[in-house]
Amino acid sequence: DNFPRMQAALLEAAAANGAKFIAAENLYLYGDPGGQPLREDLPYNAHTKKGKVRKEMTEAVFAAHRTGKVRAAAVRGSNFFGPDDLVYARLVFHPALTGKSVNVLGSLNYPHTFTYAPDFGRALAIVGTRDEALGQAWHVPSEPPLTQAQFVKLLSEELSRPVKPQVGTPILVRALGLFNPMIGEMNEMMYEWTKPFVMDSSKFERAFGMKATPFRQQIRETLAWVKANPPVNGSH
């Protein structure tokens, strides 16, 4: 994988310039929590290819911090969307705006933590300017979990018209993955969408007083951005 090599080069650059290194990470390194809330103090039980790469990368960051090479921290978010995010724009928000079915994974019925991309940015900025945050992992303040059915309902309410979900079940995703490598890459992450997937961000909220952007505002701002920046031929 190229990502560990890229990170190693960035760590060297940060060390050479005396800069802090704040890693933006996902939750893959924890592995399948079996429906239990994900907290920063959980062990790294990565069982997927992506998760093992992420585990290796975060261990490298904290090893560099412990040895004094750089002053580092990690900021982790759940599946995110928002202005400038092209994935959810293409799969969910643009279809909703144009009266088409929106694409969801796994099941409509399990609670799932969504992280708002601008909140991720705010969290990175806070951790980068607070020395007491260094040497630790932090979960981005995120709104309470929603089922994907509730997510679609909020979209419908914001647009004042029904939005229909199209569910990519595990069997369908596996079948499509035989023909599309990008979809095939999603197979190993389906555990996030076929049981509760909940991230606890209370540590960050207690330490720094940051709250997530209200969910309806997240959806409103994302719809406005996608409306102003529609995908071209299904992609940006």
Side-chain angles (χ1 to χ4, degrees), residues 90-170:
R90 189 171 65 249
L91 294 177
V92 175
F93 289 92
H94 188 254
L97 280 166
T98 54
K100 299 187 176 75
S101 297
V102 301
N103 299 280
V104 302
L105 283 174
S107 169
L108 286 166
N109 302 318
Y110 293 107
H112 192 98
T113 297
F114 293 91
T115 295
Y116 190 45
D119 288 342
F120 209 141
R122 288 166 60 208
L124 286 164
I126 290 169
V127 170
T129 54
R130 301 288 287 268
D131 284 352
E132 66 268 33
L134 296 173
Q136 300 180 60
W138 300 90
H139 288 174
V140 179
S142 301
E143 280 280 81
L146 289 176
T147 67
Q148 293 187 98
Q150 290 171 318
F151 192 118
V152 172
K153 184 171 182 286
L154 285 174
L155 264 177
S156 299
E157 290 171 1
E158 194 59 40
L159 293 169
S160 300
R161 66 169 182 267
V163 173
K164 185 180 177 185
Q166 177 173 290
V167 182
T169 63

Side-chain angles (χ1 to χ4, degrees), residues 39-226:
R39 301 185 315 273
E40 293 91 339
D41 59 357
L42 291 182
Y44 302 155
N45 286 324
H47 58 92
T48 64
K49 185 173 74 171
K50 292 185 185 66
K52 289 172 182 174
V53 170
R54 175 52 59 197
K55 175 176 180 282
E56 174 191 335
M57 290 174 69
T58 205
E59 286 173 345
V61 169
F62 286 108
H65 179 85
R66 283 193 303 274
T67 60
K69 182 174 183 175
V70 294
R71 294 170 298 153
V75 177
R76 297 174 186 152
S78 189
N79 305 92
F80 63 85
F81 70 90
D84 296 306
D85 171 58
L86 308 183
V87 176
Y88 270 81
R90 189 171 65 249
L91 294 177
V92 175
F93 289 92
H94 188 254
L97 280 166
T98 54
K100 299 187 176 75
S101 297
V102 301
N103 299 280
V104 302
L105 283 174
S107 169
L108 286 166
N109 302 318
Y110 293 107
H112 192 98
T113 297
F114 293 91
T115 295
Y116 190 45
D119 288 342
F120 209 141
R122 288 166 60 208
L124 286 164
I126 290 169
V127 170
T129 54
R130 301 288 287 268
D131 284 352
E132 66 268 33
L134 296 173
Q136 300 180 60
W138 300 90
H139 288 174
V140 179
S142 301
E143 280 280 81
L146 289 176
T147 67
Q148 293 187 98
Q150 290 171 318
F151 192 118
V152 172
K153 184 171 182 286
L154 285 174
L155 264 177
S156 299
E157 290 171 1
E158 194 59 40
L159 293 169
S160 300
R161 66 169 182 267
V163 173
K164 185 180 177 185
Q166 177 173 290
V167 182
T169 63
I171 291 172
L172 178 62
V173 169
R174 274 198 300 274
L176 293 174
L178 296 173
F179 308 100
N180 185 320
M182 189 174 291
I183 295 175
E185 286 284 307
M186 292 158 52
N187 278 331
E188 66 174 10
M189 306 311 302
M190 288 297 285
Y191 69 87
E192 295 186 357
W193 306 99
T194 53
K195 62 188 79 172
F197 192 76
V198 177
M199 182 184 76
D200 182 340
S201 56
S202 58
K203 175 187 169 185
F204 197 118
E205 292 168 29
R206 284 195 306 272
F208 304 116
M210 177 183 160
K211 297 289 185 188
T213 302
F215 214 97
R216 287 183 185 276
Q217 183 182 338
Q218 297 180 23
I219 288 178
R220 192 173 305 130
E221 291 174 354
T222 305
L223 283 168
W225 181 83
V226 174

